Amino acid sequence: MTAAHSAIAKKKVENMIGNPEFIKNIQLQINAVKMVLMPAVLGMIFIVVYLMNADSYKPVEYAMQVASLVLLGVIVFVWGTKMAVESLAGEFNDKTWDSQRMTAIDPWNLAWGKLFGSTLFAWYGGLFCLLVFTVSSFFSPKSYRFLELLLSILFAGVFAQATTLAFILTEFAKNRDFGKLNLSSYSVAGIIFPLLFFALVAGAYDARGTMQWYSITLRPMEMMLYSSVYFCLWGVIGFYRAMRKELQFDTGPWVWTLFVFGLMLYTAGFISNNDELDRSQWLFFALYISFFIGMISFYLMAFSEPKSIVDIRWLTDKAAQRKWGDFFVKLPTWFMSLLLVTLLCSVLLLMKTSMHATLGDGPEWLIDLVQFSPLAFLLFCLRDLGVILYVNLTSAKKNRDIVAIFYLIILYALVPTILMVTDTESILPWFFPVNSAGFLNSVVPVAAQTGFVFFLLYSEIYPAEKFSGSTNILGDHSQS
């Protein structure tokens, strides 16, 4: 390592140790009373658990391990995520976040200072749970299984906190002009995820046997641990990238694209547990699964990211000028998800025309799945995108994405229900994907709806006065 590299590494270490955001959170989170109260309360809980299980038929160390893991999950997952929400969103509501953004601290130090500084007291409590777990494990013959469970909870806890903070940062950009954020809604999300995760972990812990991930054979709990590490890394990266964007650094959509592509590969590996499929059928099913994952990621980001008429005009202006560097730097991530969906749709359509004989020998569920046209799904995505953008560009309300969701519920639930009740199910594919609907009855009507919605959207982005002589695209918005 050169002297220059050593100096840079030393500087980074000094910045991390002297991180003002981390130090500020230590001063806010830690005091003498709380430092004493946390181990005292946890100690009393563990004493009660010990006394209640001292005469039980099960070993008392087993009860202590379970109690320490449950408390660790509650403190780190639920309470830690709530603390992270209150710390970041509280600064936004108290109008101190803008001054925080103007400080000289770099995005990485600000990100990890928020991630671990705002949750420091929760991790302090988790440390005592870890201590009890470690002592109890010395007396357990299968402590390695509990260790896998422990590490899964720790990594998943960091993932939950990081992704919640990243989501709140995207909400900052959408609500900067609309006042305060509702802290309770984000805290509820921080509670729902742990409940789902604990159910998944419990199933993996009790499961016996092995599972396949591509050609790798793993126990379910091992897969849970590796998955927790994988998503923890992506959660931290996502929070860091969101912080860079919030601090007005160029980010681009490439990291998100890599994440979605990696998620497709990760999910496709589990198809190896199905022995009914040959190689070509496995590939076809993997592409269909990846296609739906791309759709989910598209809708997630289409609703999450801020959408403004100025940004859309700016992007179309850069594309018209062929300034692709500027264009891709500001490109929204939902566009890249939609691009992946479009590419997979093209591949699936090409494969469907050449795999009829192979698919005929496949399982019935795969044949039913293939009957759904990926082109119809793609057109529904485009139509819904037009609805989401149109509502966001024309509504002055704070919860514009909620309004868009309401309209989509009408299109996907209320209208199909009316059609089924009135015995007009023949036009159901116009509003809902239907198996074996046919090209004319599914693709063409949805394409017409998509064209109509985008005509309205284009009329809103570029109104008639645009053609009155003004050539400045961004200037049109200030006049309209």
Side-chain angles (χ1 to χ4, degrees):
M1 181 180 291
T2 64
H5 289 156
S6 299
I8 294 173
K10 182 179 180 181
K11 183 66 175 177
K12 288 184 176 180
V13 172
E14 291 175 351
N15 289 338
M16 293 178 69
I17 295 175
N19 186 336
E21 179 63 26
F22 190 72
I23 294 174
K24 182 191 76 174
N25 280 287
I26 291 178
Q27 296 171 346
L28 292 174
Q29 297 288 334
I30 303 299
N31 58 56
V33 175
K34 294 170 70 174
M35 293 284 285
V36 174
L37 193 60
M38 174 65 79
V41 173
L42 289 176
M44 288 188 289
I45 294 175
F46 285 123
I47 290 174
V48 171
V49 172
Y50 180 85
L51 294 176
M52 290 179 61
N53 292 273
D55 299 327
S56 175
Y57 68 93
K58 287 187 177 181
V60 67
E61 59 269 16
Y62 176 82
M64 297 298 288
Q65 284 179 316
V66 172
S68 61
L69 289 178
V70 171
L71 286 173
L72 177 67
V74 171
I75 293 173
V76 173
F77 250 112
V78 181
W79 193 25
T81 303
K82 183 177 182 296
M83 294 173 69
V85 168
E86 292 176 347
S87 172
L88 190 55
E91 287 201 37
F92 181 83
N93 290 344
D94 295 337
K95 308 299 181 182
T96 60
W97 177 246
D98 287 336
S99 60
Q100 178 83 299
R101 295 169 66 206
M102 302 303 293
T103 59
I105 186 171
D106 62 88
W108 171 244
N109 282 324
L110 185 56
W112 82 260
K114 278 293 181 188
L115 178 59
F116 295 106
S118 62
T119 59
L120 184 62
F121 190 60
W123 287 105
Y124 172 69
L127 181 63
F128 288 96
C129 298
L130 285 173
L131 180 62
V132 173
F133 173 84
T134 302
V135 174
S136 302
S137 297
F138 285 124
F139 303 95
S140 176
K142 294 184 178 181
S143 58
Y144 72 93
R145 296 186 61 206
F146 276 110
L147 180 60
E148 292 172 342
L149 188 58
L150 167 68
L151 294 175
S152 297
I153 292 175
L154 290 176
F155 285 112
V158 176
F159 167 73
Q161 294 169 7
T163 50
T164 303
L165 290 173
F167 179 71
I168 291 177
L169 286 180
T170 63
E171 291 295 294
F172 282 4
K174 292 168 58 177
N175 295 276
R176 213 176 298 279
D177 300 326
F178 293 98
K180 296 184 177 182
L181 295 174
N182 185 357
L183 295 181
S184 60
S185 60
Y186 302 108
S187 299
V188 168
I191 295 175
I192 292 177
F193 176 77
L195 294 177
L196 296 176
F197 175 77
F198 286 151
L200 194 61
V201 166
Y205 183 80
D206 292 334
R208 297 294 181 265
T210 59
M211 61 186 304
Q212 289 292 125
W213 190 75
Y214 291 106
S215 59
I216 303 174
T217 302
L218 297 167
R219 291 182 293 106
M221 200 60 229
E222 285 180 314
M223 191 68 214
M224 179 61 64
L225 173 58
Y226 299 147
S227 299
S228 298
V229 175
Y230 176 74
F231 286 106
C232 174
L233 291 175
W234 275 117
V236 174
I237 292 172
F239 178 43
Y240 167 65
R241 300 286 292 185
M243 185 65 75
R244 281 183 58 89
K245 190 172 183 179
E246 177 66 14
L247 298 184
Q248 306 301 314
F249 286 85
D250 291 334
T251 54
W254 306 114
V255 173
W256 171 258
T257 307
L258 182 61
F259 166 71
V260 175
F261 184 71
L263 186 59
M264 292 175 179
L265 292 177
Y266 168 83
T267 308
F270 294 101
I271 305 176
S272 302
N273 291 281
N274 194 315
D275 298 330
E276 298 179 285
L277 308 177
D278 59 29
R279 188 180 298 272
S280 59
Q281 293 169 353
W282 181 95
L283 177 61
F284 200 49
F285 185 43
L287 289 173
Y288 253 98
I289 293 295
S290 300
F291 177 77
F292 289 118
I293 290 175
M295 286 179 55
I296 294 173
S297 69
F298 158 73
Y299 280 105
L300 177 65
M301 299 314 295
F303 284 115
S304 299
E305 288 189 310
K307 298 161 280 288
S308 71
I309 195 168
V310 173
D311 292 337
I312 295 176
R313 286 178 173 179
W314 189 91
L315 285 169
T316 54
D317 185 37
K318 296 302 178 183
Q321 299 174 17
R322 298 186 179 182
K323 294 182 178 180
W324 301 116
D326 295 336
F327 175 80
F328 282 107
V329 164
K330 300 294 184 181
L331 196 64
T333 53
W334 55 257
F335 183 91
M336 298 305 297
S337 293
L338 186 62
L339 180 60
L340 288 175
V341 171
T342 304
L343 293 174
L344 287 169
C345 175
S346 303
V347 174
L348 286 170
L349 289 175
L350 290 174
M351 292 187 67
K352 283 182 68 173
T353 59
S354 59
M355 289 189 62
H356 289 295
T358 304
L359 292 174
D361 299 330
E364 185 176 350
W365 59 265
L366 180 61
I367 297 175
D368 292 337
L369 174 65
V370 171
Q371 299 303 316
F372 286 99
S373 172
L375 183 56
F377 276 106
L378 176 61
L379 289 172
F380 274 117
C381 287
L382 289 171
R383 184 202 67 178
D384 298 345
L385 173 63
V387 172
I388 295 169
L389 292 178
Y390 185 79
V391 171
N392 273 267
L393 300 186
T394 58
S395 176
K397 296 181 179 179
K398 177 181 178 180
N399 298 320
R400 290 167 291 186
D401 287 319
I402 302 298
V403 176
I405 291 175
F406 175 75
Y407 288 142
L408 293 180
I409 289 175
I410 292 176
L411 290 174
Y412 281 111
L414 182 59
V415 173
T417 301
I418 293 174
L419 294 177
M420 288 187 289
V421 170
T422 57
D423 294 329
T424 54
E425 297 183 25
S426 58
I427 61 173
L428 182 62
W430 297 14
F431 303 96
F432 195 86
V434 176
N435 190 0
S436 302
F439 183 84
L440 292 177
N441 200 31
S442 61
V443 174
V444 174
V446 182
Q449 296 175 52
T450 304
F452 175 71
V453 172
F454 272 87
F455 170 76
L456 295 177
L457 184 63
Y458 182 84
S459 301
E460 180 65 28
I461 298 174
Y462 300 114
E465 51 264 31
K466 171 180 180 295
F467 301 100
S468 62
S470 174
T471 57
N472 186 348
I473 294 179
L474 296 178
D476 294 333
H477 179 60
S478 61
Q479 297 171 5
S480 61

